[in-house]
Amino acid sequence: MARQDTDTPTRFAIYSREKPPADFERVERMSLIVSILWIIAVGAALLFVGGRAGSDAGFRFVLTILIVFMPVAMLWVGVMAARSSLAIREESRRLEVAIDALRALVIDSQRAAQGAAKSSVEKKLEEIAQSQRQTESAIATFTSIRSPGTTDEDSTKPAIPKTETTPEGEQQGLLALTDPIEPSGPPVNVSDFILALNFPENADDKEGFQALRRALRDRSTAQLVQAAQDLLTLLSQEGIYMDDLSPDRARPEVWRRFARGERGRAVAALGGVRDRSCLALTAGRMRGDLVFRDSAHHFLRKFDAVFSEFEKTASDEDISRLAGTRTARAFMLMGRVTGTFD
C-alpha cells in the first residue's frame, strides 16, 4: 500500500507539465521592471545630453542603442539561461522518477514470474509425490504374501496367541473387578478382531456388534478396544474423524518391522496421515490437555503390545486389512503427532 501512495504523485510528475516555481516568476517580473526603468532612465539621460551636442549624430545613435539595450539584453540572457537550467533540472528529475518506476515495474514483474514458476514447480512435485504415494498404497493393498503355517480360515485362526499360564497376581487382580472381562472365553479370531478394531459402521451393523461382543471376551483385545474408543471420542470433540482421513498405506513388511521393535526411518511409512489440519489440532490438544495426552499414550502402548502379538500369526493380507481400520488410522495419526515414527 505504501508503494501505491508514493507512486501516485510520481505518475503525475511524469505525465503532467508543471508550472515554473513562484520564486522564478518573481525574478522574471523584477527583471522586466528593472529593464523598463533602465531604458527610461538611460534614454532620458542620453536625450538630455544629445540636446546639447550637435555633431556626430550617427555615432551617438549607435552608442545610445548599445548603452540602453546591451545591459537589458545581457539581463534577459541570464534570465533565459536560468529558466533553461530550471527546465533541464525538472526534466532530469522526471526522467529519474520514470526510470525508478520502470525499474520497480521490472522487479515486480520478475518476482511475479518467479513466484508463478515456483508455484508451478511445487504443484508438479506435489502431483508426482501424490502419484507415488497412491502407487505405494495400491501395492500395499494388493500385496498378499502368506506367512508359512497359516490357514485361510479367519474364523478359526486366533488373532492373538494365548499363553499357557497366567500369573497368580493377574488372577487375583481380576477377582477384585466389579465387572471383570472374561479371561476364560474363547480366543478371538482374526475376522472378529479386525471388525472389532474398526467398530460397527452404524446402529444397523449387526455383524459389527456381534464381532465386537465376541472380541470383548478377550482381555487384551477388550483393553485395546476401550483405549481406542476413548481416544476416538476425544478426537471427535475436535471434529477429527477417522473416516475423513486417507492415510498412505504402508506395506505389511513395514508393519512387521514395527511389531518386531524397529523404529525410525525403517517404519516412517506408517506415519501416512498427511492432513495438516488434523495433525495441527491433534498436536495442540496433546500440548494443552493432560487427559488427552494420557489417553493417547495409553492407546499407543496397548496398540503396540497387541499388534506385536497379532503379527506373529497374521498373514500379510490380515495386516493390510487391519491397517484400514479406524483403530489403525488413529494409531497412524497419534504416532505421527508423538514422533513414534521419527
Side-chain angles (χ1 to χ4, degrees):
M1 298 300 294
R3 179 178 292 276
Q4 294 178 357
D5 294 339
T6 56
D7 286 349
T8 301
T10 297
R11 294 191 182 96
F12 283 111
I14 294 173
Y15 298 110
S16 62
R17 177 66 63 180
E18 296 180 351
K19 294 181 180 181
D23 293 341
F24 191 80
E25 292 181 355
R26 286 195 295 269
V27 170
E28 289 182 339
R29 288 196 294 269
M30 291 298 297
S31 300
L32 180 61
I33 294 172
V34 170
S35 299
I36 294 173
L37 292 177
W38 173 263
I39 293 173
I40 293 173
V42 175
L46 291 177
L47 289 175
F48 178 74
V49 174
R52 294 184 176 182
S55 60
D56 299 330
F59 176 74
R60 287 199 307 274
F61 177 75
V62 174
L63 184 60
T64 300
I65 295 298
L66 291 175
I67 293 174
V68 173
F69 293 104
M70 183 61 70
V72 175
M74 295 299 294
L75 176 63
W76 281 98
V77 166
V79 172
M80 296 304 296
R83 188 183 185 90
S84 298
S85 177
L86 179 61
I88 291 173
R89 285 198 300 271
E90 289 297 324
E91 290 294 336
S92 299
R93 187 179 64 84
R94 285 195 290 268
L95 182 60
E96 290 177 358
V97 173
I99 292 173
D100 292 339
L102 183 60
R103 183 185 297 111
L105 180 61
V106 171
I107 293 174
D108 292 341
S109 300
Q110 291 177 349
R111 289 178 179 175
Q114 291 175 356
K118 183 178 180 181
S119 61
S120 178
V121 172
E122 290 179 350
K123 184 177 180 181
K124 291 294 183 183
L125 292 176
E126 181 62 26
E127 291 177 355
I128 294 173
Q130 181 65 23
S131 176
Q132 183 179 2
R133 290 195 295 267
Q134 291 176 354
T135 302
E136 293 177 353
S137 298
I139 293 174
T141 302
F142 292 108
T143 299
S144 178
I145 303 174
R146 297 284 182 168
S147 299
T150 59
T151 65
D152 294 331
E153 296 295 333
D154 291 341
S155 60
T156 59
K157 183 177 64 176
I160 302 175
K162 293 293 182 180
T163 57
E164 296 297 333
T165 60
T166 303
E168 183 179 355
E170 185 73 15
Q171 293 178 352
Q172 294 176 354
L174 291 175
L175 294 176
L177 296 176
T178 57
D179 187 16
I181 301 170
E182 300 179 6
S184 59
V188 59
N189 59 54
V190 172
S191 179
D192 290 342
F193 179 75
I194 294 175
L195 285 176
L197 294 186
N198 195 47
F199 295 97
E201 296 291 340
N202 49 53
D204 299 327
D205 188 2
K206 295 181 179 179
E207 182 181 0
F209 280 107
Q210 291 175 358
L212 183 61
R213 282 193 292 269
R214 288 192 293 266
L216 290 177
R217 296 172 185 171
D218 181 84
R219 186 166 185 269
S220 298
T221 304
Q223 290 177 345
L224 176 58
V225 169
Q226 184 62 51
Q229 183 179 8
D230 294 341
L231 180 63
L232 293 179
T233 301
L234 294 174
L235 288 172
S236 66
Q237 296 174 0
E238 298 292 333
I240 302 174
Y241 299 94
M242 298 303 101
D243 292 343
D244 298 334
L245 300 180
S246 299
D248 299 336
R249 301 288 294 274
R251 295 185 179 183
E253 52 264 31
V254 180
W255 285 95
R256 292 188 188 277
R257 293 193 192 103
F258 178 81
R260 294 165 187 173
E262 294 188 32
R263 298 294 184 268
R265 291 180 178 269
V267 296
L270 297 183
V273 178
R274 302 183 184 278
D275 191 314
R276 295 182 179 179
S277 61
C278 290
L279 291 172
L281 289 173
T282 306
R285 188 74 181 269
M286 284 286 290
R287 290 191 297 267
D289 190 338
L290 180 60
V291 174
F292 182 88
R293 184 163 60 250
D294 291 342
S295 298
H297 288 300
H298 175 68
F299 165 74
L300 290 175
R301 288 192 299 269
K302 286 298 179 183
F303 186 93
D304 188 3
V306 173
F307 182 75
S308 297
E309 296 297 325
F310 172 76
E311 181 271 336
K312 294 178 180 179
T313 58
S315 66
D316 286 356
E317 184 181 4
D318 297 336
I319 294 176
S320 295
R321 290 169 55 198
L322 176 65
T325 62
R326 295 183 176 93
T327 300
R329 293 184 183 185
F331 171 73
M332 295 178 191
L333 174 63
M334 300 311 304
R336 179 75 180 272
V337 171
T338 58
T340 303
F341 310 127
D342 296 338

